[in-house]
Amino acid sequence: MALDASRAILGTYGYLYIDGQWQTNINHLEATVEMEKRELLLSGDAWKRHKKGPMKGTGTMSGFKVTSEMLQRGFGKFEIISKLDDPESYGHERIRLKNVMVDGLPLANWKAGEEVVEEIKFTFEEYELLDPIVAG
């Protein structure tokens, strides 16, 4: 059975909330969690085995500069909720990123005649899938 192309989710319908407030100026979010694997060498075993180790969450958000809110927030922790809600999809997906901390804050980056776009890299500690998308 072929994929129903109308079910492919477009990022156009992505929303980013910081501490519950919709950030209408943000048009890009990327968040990834990586797990460090520990290599184990066991006697009598020719294979390297692996054990789960600590995890690390990293991400980037970017969009148009509208206010100085991120500068005012500083380096304090906050929560991000990502929501994908394409009306033609099987539903919406929400993911909570916990204990988000920015890596750095852009103080000035502008050029005459161009929109000011800010990119902010961050780390997070834990995530939670609040609403999964399930094919119906």
Side-chain angles (χ1 to χ4, degrees), residues 51-122:
K51 180 172 179 61
K52 290 180 183 179
M55 293 186 284
K56 179 180 180 181
T58 58
T60 303
M61 62 180 150
S62 60
F64 302 109
K65 182 173 181 76
V66 178
T67 68
S68 300
E69 184 179 344
M70 288 307 291
L71 284 175
Q72 291 171 313
R73 182 178 300 283
F75 292 94
K77 291 183 179 183
F78 56 94
E79 176 180 283
I80 288 178
I81 293 184
S82 169
K83 181 179 180 182
L84 275 174
D85 195 12
D86 188 322
E88 292 186 299
S89 71
Y90 287 111
H92 68 273
E93 177 183 80
R94 289 187 318 134
I95 300 170
R96 174 184 292 136
L97 307 179
K98 302 177 181 181
N99 298 317
V100 178
M101 291 185 294
V102 299
D103 295 347
L105 292 168
L107 299 178
N109 184 11
W110 56 270
K111 186 175 183 179
E114 295 183 8
E115 296 85 7
V116 176
V117 175
E118 290 184 326
E119 179 179 278
I120 298 173
K121 295 181 184 220
F122 60 87

